[in-house]
């Protein structure tokens, strides 16, 4: 039964090889979508190129539906799949800060790696900036360790939070994604000046 | 080689989603990027100032064999996969991504500034667009979804101020 690593089908060493292969696929698809090019990413925030939104929500829906489907048929133990723990305060503020950095810098960490390796100089510089910012965070960490842990709610999911089963939440996520796709296509028609 | 068009966002999204699903099925965890970068930072610190790395409560979390980690191998894969796709698409070239109204120098300054801000935000939030928004989004993590909307809010709020850079 999946997740295979959690059920001891292979050890840590093998998991590293799998990590490399999964990473290759991850990087490949990021580049295919055009995420190695900062301007294409940033035009999202001017409603001129909604690729970020479309790719992101398509990926989330595919993986989410896949997980629920596999678990429904008993092929995968959902309780053994890592759910990011929630720290509400730190995640709201961290997300806002990251969004500011996204609009200014034009990349996020993963896409900057793809940008840098395909020769985008701004991607290389962004990557150095991000490494620098993380060092700064570490140096200042003792000052806001308390805030870093604020709003801790454990590994909570949306279904648990709202007290409903996964089905309706997943359906709502799919409907929201479809709405965003339709809205995104409409916005592009209205605002896009060129194909990037 | 002639530069090819990017693939449809929906096709790329399905590819990305299946990759994420494969990670869940194989190892029970999702994708990531900023965690690997943090580990690279600590690895560098270990080379030059190991005592400092060990005494700082944040760096110390990563200080023991920082590179022997799932995310680090995945990140190396991202570099390989991104390079392969760029090569196959004829898109490997030295260039600076920017709009027509900003100089190269100013764009690079903003790239560094934006990167630094993002580095801080990613560590505060315990993840970035890959590790928290995408992965947490697919597992329906409350924090993942809250974070994702916060990222879009922060970016849309900032966009007007840096519009000369992109449009």
């Amino acid at each position: 039964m999946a997740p295979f690593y959690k059920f001891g089908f292979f050890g840590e060493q093998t998991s590293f090889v799998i990590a490399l292969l999964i990473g290759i696929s991850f990087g490949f698809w990021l580049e295919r979508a055009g995420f190695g090019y900062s301007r294409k990413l940033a035009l999202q925030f001017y409603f001129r190129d909604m690729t970020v939104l479309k790719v992101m929500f398509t990926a989330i829906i595919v993986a989410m539906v896949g997980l629920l489907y596999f678990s429904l048929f008993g092929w995968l133990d959902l309780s053994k799949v890592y759910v990011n723990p929630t720290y509400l305060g730190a995640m709201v503020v961290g997300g806002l800060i990251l969004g500011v950095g996204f609009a200014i810098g034009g990349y996020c960490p993963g896409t900057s790696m793809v940008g840098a390796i395909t020769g985008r100089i701004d991607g290389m510089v962004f990557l150095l900036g991000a490494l620098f910012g993380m060092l700064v965070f570490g140096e200042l960490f003792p000052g806001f360790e308390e805030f870093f842990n604020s709003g801790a709610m454990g590994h909570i999911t949306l279904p648990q939070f709202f007290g409903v089963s996964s089905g309706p939440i997943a359906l709502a996520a799919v409907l929201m994604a479809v709405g965003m796709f339709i809205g995104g296509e409409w916005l592009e028609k209205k605002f896009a000046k060129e194909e990037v | 080689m002639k530069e090819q068009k990017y693939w449809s966002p929906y096709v790329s999204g399905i590819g990305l989603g299946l990759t994420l699903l494969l990670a869940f099925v194989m190892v029970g965890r999702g994708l990531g990027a900023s965690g690997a970068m943090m580990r690279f930072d600590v690895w560098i610190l270990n080379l030059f100032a190991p005592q400092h790395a060990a005494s700082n409560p944040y760096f110390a979390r990563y200080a023991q064999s920082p590179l022997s980690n799932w995310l680090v191998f995945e990140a190396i894969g991202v570099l390989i996969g991104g390079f392969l796709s760029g090569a196959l698409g004829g898109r490997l070239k030295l260039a600076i991504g920017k709009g027509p109204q900003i100089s190269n120098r100013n764009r690079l300054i903003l790239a560094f500034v934006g990167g630094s801000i993002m580095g801080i935000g990613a560590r505060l939030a315990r993840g970035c667009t890959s590790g928290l928004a995408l992965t947490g989004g697919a597992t329906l993590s409350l924090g993942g979804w809250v974070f994702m909307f916060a990222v879009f809010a922060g970016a849309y709020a900032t966009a007007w101020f840096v519009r000369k850079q992109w449009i």
Side-chain angles (χ1 to χ4, degrees):
Chain A
M1 192 149 114
F4 297 126
Y5 177 60
K6 296 285 169 79
F7 283 99
F9 282 71
F10 48 82
E12 195 183 35
Q13 301 266 319
T14 310
S15 86
F16 287 169
V17 178
I18 291 169
L20 189 77
L21 296 174
I22 286 176
I24 290 175
S25 177
F26 185 27
F28 178 89
W29 288 111
L30 287 177
E31 207 286 332
R32 285 284 118 171
F35 288 179
Y37 177 33
S38 53
R39 186 158 179 250
K40 189 169 180 66
L41 291 158
L43 284 180
Q44 161 79 36
F45 307 122
Y46 304 90
F47 303 113
R48 292 183 183 209
D49 187 313
M50 304 302 281
T51 304
V52 172
L53 186 103
K54 293 184 216 166
V55 170
M56 198 139 172
F57 276 93
T58 307
I60 287 176
I61 295 303
V62 166
M64 176 195 74
V65 171
L67 273 182
L68 293 178
Y69 185 85
F70 290 164
S71 131
L72 203 66
F73 283 85
W75 300 337
L76 176 139
D77 183 352
L78 213 48
S79 69
K80 290 207 160 47
V81 172
Y82 179 80
V83 174
N84 301 68
T86 296
Y87 294 83
L88 217 47
M91 282 176 176
V92 169
V93 176
L96 288 170
I97 294 174
L98 193 140
V100 172
F102 203 159
I104 296 176
Y107 289 102
C108 58
T111 54
S112 77
M113 297 202 291
V114 173
I117 202 72
T118 51
R120 301 309 134 95
I121 299 161
D122 56 326
M124 302 171 197
V125 173
F126 179 98
L127 197 55
L128 287 176
L131 289 169
F132 173 73
M134 290 183 190
L135 272 187
V136 171
F137 176 86
E139 293 299 335
L140 301 177
F141 180 74
F144 49 83
E145 189 168 2
E146 203 174 314
F147 182 68
F148 183 69
N149 292 315
S150 67
M153 299 170 73
H155 301 267
I156 188 172
T157 64
L158 290 174
Q160 288 163 354
F161 181 72
F162 290 112
V164 291
S165 63
S166 311
I169 297 284
L171 182 66
V174 171
L175 291 177
M176 190 181 77
V178 171
M180 285 192 167
F181 298 152
I182 295 169
E185 298 290 345
W186 180 80
L187 284 165
E188 276 179 353
K189 273 208 187 79
K190 198 166 156 64
F191 291 105
K193 303 269 192 294
E194 73 213 287
E195 195 178 345
V196 181
Chain B
M1 192 202 268
K2 195 177 170 291
E3 194 174 319
Q4 294 171 12
K5 273 192 176 180
Y6 298 121
W7 282 1
S8 149
Y10 301 112
V11 172
S12 307
I14 291 171
L16 213 54
L18 291 177
T19 306
L20 179 57
L21 184 59
L22 187 65
F24 287 137
V25 169
M26 294 304 288
V27 292
R29 59 182 295 170
L31 306 169
S34 63
M37 291 162 66
M38 187 68 227
R39 289 177 173 277
F40 182 73
D41 261 349
V42 175
W43 180 71
I44 300 276
L45 266 184
N46 271 347
L47 289 182
F48 294 102
Q51 281 167 348
H52 180 67
S55 66
N56 175 297
Y58 193 71
F59 297 141
R61 298 167 167 226
Y62 303 98
Q64 277 202 334
S65 55
L67 295 189
S68 176
N69 178 270
W70 199 87
L71 271 183
V72 172
F73 285 87
E74 185 243 40
I76 295 167
V78 169
L79 292 172
I80 298 171
F83 184 83
L84 280 176
S85 171
L88 291 171
R91 291 189 286 266
L92 296 181
K93 59 172 181 202
L94 279 179
I96 298 177
K98 65 183 191 64
Q101 300 191 64
I102 185 170
S103 68
N104 285 344
R105 191 197 63 154
N106 287 351
R107 165 65 191 126
L108 292 184
I109 291 172
L110 286 178
F112 189 85
V113 170
S116 306
I117 294 172
M118 178 161 297
I120 293 170
R123 289 342 291 160
L124 180 58
R126 294 175 170 78
C128 57
T129 1
S130 328
L132 188 49
L134 191 63
T135 302
T139 55
L140 295 177
S141 155
L142 172 68
W145 281 83
V146 168
F147 170 80
M148 182 169 17
F149 285 112
V151 169
F152 277 107
Y156 275 102
T158 312
W160 187 82
F161 299 98
V162 290
R163 62 192 183 285
K164 285 230 166 86
Q165 185 178 209
W166 302 117
I167 61 179

